[in-house]
Amino acid sequence: MSINLSKGQAISLQKSDGGTLTAVRMGLGWQAAPRRGLFGSRTREIDLDASAVLFADKQPVDVVFFQHLVSDDGSVRHTGDNVVGGAGQGGDDEAILVDLQRVPVHIDQIVFTVNSFTGQTFAEVQNAFCRLVDETNAQELARYTLTGGGSYTAQIMAKVHRSGSGWQMTAIGGAANGRTFQDLMPAILPYL
């Protein structure tokens, strides 16, 4: 059963049987909001990009995004760039896979961001979400839905971080501005 997360809410990534998750997928979906024009409603393609920034002791040490699809150690992998969106209602438009067992011990946090590479604001996006899926059985564990649009072009979505001997996910939902993950680094730091 999936948990609908609210901003700032955290969940443990322990399985209900007491085991630990070994591989997860952070999926991102969105649709362009229809705009009313002189000749009726129409939509404009929106290129949102999912990124995962790997941190060790609050220092960025690697990143996975559309131009660097696999982390240097191979534990985090982006499935590819989607430049138009469209799923928005359940399926993932972009996804980042994390093999939790292979994440090097010095990596203590992985922060997931989404940014509008084409510069449209989230006021022009609808049905946007990120979701965490147990990659071993395709079961959705948690979903965080972006609501309310806004005049920002990026969002710090969530983070997966070490908690004792396991991992925990926290929904962040922090609005930011920037076309790439590099632009978002100052906005990410307060959430570490």
Side-chain angles (χ1 to χ4, degrees), residues 137-150:
N137 62 13
Q139 178 184 359
E140 182 176 299
L141 304 171
R143 177 178 289 256
Y144 177 64
T145 304
L146 282 76
T147 57

Side-chain angles (χ1 to χ4, degrees), residues 167-178:
W167 291 87
Q168 189 171 36
M169 177 189 172
T170 300
I172 296 173
N177 284 295

Side-chain angles (χ1 to χ4, degrees), residues 107-146:
I107 303 293
D108 54 8
Q109 299 184 71
I110 302 171
V111 178
F112 297 92
T113 66
V114 58
N115 53 274
S116 173
F117 188 72
T118 44
Q120 292 101 331
T121 68
F122 276 81
E124 299 176 66
V125 176
Q126 68 181 12
N127 299 325
F129 66 87
C130 75
R131 67 189 191 123
L132 190 71
V133 176
D134 181 342
E135 195 61 13
T136 62
N137 62 13
Q139 178 184 359
E140 182 176 299
L141 304 171
R143 177 178 289 256
Y144 177 64
T145 304
L146 282 76

